[in-house]
Amino acid sequence: MSNDAIVEFEDVNKYFGQTHVLKDVSMEVEEQEVTVIIGPSGSGKSTLLRCTNRLEEIQSGQIRLDGDAISASDADVDQLRQRIGMVFQSFNLFPHMTAKENIMLGPTEVKGIPEEEASERAESLIDKVGLGDQGDSYPEELSGGQQQRVAIARALAMDPDVMLFDEVTSALDPELVGEVLDVMEDLATGGMTMLVVTHEMGFAREVGDTITLMSDGKIAERRPAAEFFEQPQTERGQEFLSRLL
């Protein structure tokens, strides 16, 4: 593992029954790097993210966070998930809680942070994601884009080292996509280490530091974003871009 790498995947293999979903996946993600993971449906992108915070278990290989083996049998999964925040396609907010209460829940219940401190932190994060007047709103009162921004704030409330985003805009109406991507871009600008699975190629080009193209469970190409979009080096990369751009 290089000195600057915070997340490392080494020969990672994952099966669902007889289906080989991840095939010897190896890569390193440096601190403050935005790695955008692209590829066709079924290529293993989302599974890779889910394995990163132990929502799925790998069958062989290693995933490490700051040198610690995420995939070790004795790893503290609860502590791990405090360090790796994840935002999903579906918002997964508790409907009986306000936006602010949703954001406060993890810090108070998991980390034991006093309610007053968690409340101040939640208010700060609500402002950070552009929802300054919506803290007392319930999920049903918010648009899809607003709910997703609450979900991002909720993940940030745990003060993670790394953020995982799994196609977080794919369930949104097109006009709401931009407001969520703007929040993610602000996080990237602020130095957050991010692994982002997305079909938003404009975001990938503008915000991504590194593009990882997955195909059939393998990394088909991994290069700096500007170089990938200018001239992919593999036939698979050229084929993928030709269908999108």
Side-chain angles (χ1 to χ4, degrees), residues 56-193:
E56 300 286 353
E57 299 294 338
I58 63 175
Q59 274 68 55
S60 65
Q62 289 284 350
I63 304 175
R64 300 184 183 91
L65 175 66
D66 252 352
D68 298 328
I70 291 171
S71 45
S73 59
D74 61 349
D76 186 331
V77 177
D78 290 335
Q79 188 177 61
L80 165 74
R81 289 180 182 154
Q82 293 181 40
R83 299 182 63 195
I84 302 179
M86 187 161 183
V87 185
F88 302 87
Q89 178 178 338
S90 54
F91 319 126
N92 297 329
L93 300 177
F94 290 107
H96 62 289
M97 292 182 172
T98 65
K100 182 178 176 180
E101 289 168 343
N102 267 280
I103 296 167
M104 290 175 60
L105 184 63
T108 54
E109 295 297 318
V110 178
K111 300 185 85 169
I113 291 175
E115 191 163 314
E116 183 177 349
E117 181 182 340
S119 175
E120 292 176 359
R121 172 74 168 149
E123 290 173 1
S124 174
L125 287 168
I126 288 168
D127 285 337
K128 185 181 182 73
V129 299
L131 293 172
D133 58 347
Q134 299 291 345
D136 293 327
S137 299
Y138 289 90
E140 65 178 10
E141 300 172 318
L142 301 173
S143 70
Q146 289 172 325
Q147 290 185 63
Q148 193 60 289
R149 284 186 278 161
V150 173
I152 293 172
R154 179 180 58 183
L156 292 172
M158 300 300 284
D159 197 23
D161 299 317
V162 178
M163 285 284 286
L164 312 177
F165 295 89
D166 187 12
E167 299 189 0
V168 296
T169 60
S170 60
L172 300 179
D173 292 334
E175 64 267 25
L176 302 179
V177 168
E179 64 190 44
V180 174
L181 294 180
D182 286 345
V183 171
M184 293 168 64
E185 185 171 356
D186 286 345
L187 289 178
T189 302
M192 175 62 72
T193 306

Side-chain angles (χ1 to χ4, degrees), residues 7-13 20-29 33 35-40 42-49 52 62-63 195 197 210-224 228 233-237 240:
V7 184
E8 181 187 28
F9 303 86
E10 182 182 349
D11 297 328
V12 171
N13 285 274
H20 198 175
V21 183
L22 297 176
K23 304 173 181 177
D24 295 319
V25 172
S26 295
M27 68 174 179
E28 294 183 353
V29 179
E33 177 182 336
T35 285
V36 180
I37 305 170
I38 62 174
S43 59
K45 308 183 302 295
S46 293
T47 300
L48 185 64
L49 287 196
T52 305
Q62 289 284 350
I63 304 175
L195 281 77
V197 170
T210 306
I211 303 297
T212 299
L213 171 64
M214 294 194 67
S215 179
D216 191 31
K218 302 176 182 177
I219 295 179
E221 184 166 350
R222 179 170 165 80
R223 324 187 51 227
F228 177 83
Q233 293 296 295
T234 64
E235 185 176 336
R236 187 67 187 89
F240 183 79

